Amino acid sequence: MGVKIIKTGRKVPHKKVTNFDLEKILDTTNEWIKDRTGIINRHISTNETSSSLAIEACQELIKDKDINLSEIGLIICATMTPDTLIPTVAANVKKALKIEHSITFDINVACSGFLYAVSVAESMMKNLNIKKGIVVGVDLNSQLVDWKDRGTAIVFGDGAGSVLLSSEKNSDSGILSTFLDNIDDNDNSLILKNISYKTPFNNLENEYEFFKLEMLGPKVMKFAINAINTSILSVIKSSNISLDKIKYIIPHQANQRIIDAAVKNLKIPNEKFYINIDNYANTSAGSIPIALDELNKNNLLKKGDYIILVGFGGGLSFGAILLKW
Ligand code: UT7
């Protein structure tokens, strides 16, 4: 039995923020951002939440009449920005979609979250005999970044992407190979401390302490380039499908220069990498499924195409999934 992606969806906030908009609030320029990252726009929440974006991205998956809601036995949300910790974002999705019974939970593996969630969903669907499952990746990075720090604020955006997975008994398509790993972040290159509250038993001076994302950009970039190479080569090796047979590689959209380095190192033609960072910036757990949905909705994916999803992020986590469409 294999597990296959049968539908895709996405939702981003309605407000577009351009590099020119950022010039007005940060010591930066459109040219610098474009040249160093490939980013031109990003979507930033005004009133949207992680749950509202995830819900709308998932409503896309079930709008066709052929979807039987009672078959959806699993909903996993990958996010590091849940607007409610309890209930989980996945539980909010379940309620909004009016799915009566389903396993629901959130996971946080930073920007690698979507890949990890798909892998967990695949295993659970096989082990627990679940017919259909939803994985949604969503992040509201505008809540995490320090809007006074030009080194981090310019690279992130908000958004959600979703997939509907189906257990298929007699199909040679679906997920063929997965590689996931984590190396220690010895340089503290990506850190977001959690909020702490004063209690009668700790030494906190204020009622609470909260933190913003801290990132050593060039260190993350070095890690990311290696992570992409290792992950792509690992899924290729374990699937016995040669790199030239791959139709598209959908990378986590963090920086155009990271993707350019992968093109050079792996000698993969540029056009195989699907890139939409110009319009969304880095949406963390949302980035790979948003790109996948764009490819799918633009009818660029054909039955039988081999595709690699590859990502990396805080942790330091990384990985790839090779699938046959
Ligand atoms: O999802 C995973 C999370 N993160 C990533 O994947 C991020 C990976 N890293 C990156 O994308 C890049 O490192 C950044 C885009 C964050 C930074 O680009 P960089 O080419 O690595 O620049 P840098 O940090 O080495 O800074 C070079 C110069 C510095 O000035 P000096 O010291 O050379 O005078 C910075 O102060 O550029 C300056 N700088 C800026 N200038 C204008 C840094 N940010 C900006 C900015 N506008 N926004």
Side-chain angles (χ1 to χ4, degrees), residues 83-101:
D83 48 305
T84 54
L85 282 167
I86 304 169
T88 59
V89 175
N92 294 335
V93 168
K94 173 183 173 287
K95 188 175 175 189
L97 268 50
K98 298 188 167 59
I99 294 170
E100 260 184 70
H101 297 285

Side-chain angles (χ1 to χ4, degrees), residues 27-28 32 36-37 111 150-151 154-156 190 215 217-218 220-221 252 254-255 257-258 282 312:
D27 178 18
T28 191
W32 193 96
R36 298 274 185 141
T37 68
C111 300
R150 66 179 182 173
I154 55 122
V155 290
F156 290 100
L190 263 173
M215 180 173 81
V220 179
M221 196 130 99
H252 169 47
N255 187 317
R257 283 155 58 210
I258 295 173
N282 180 346
F312 55 86

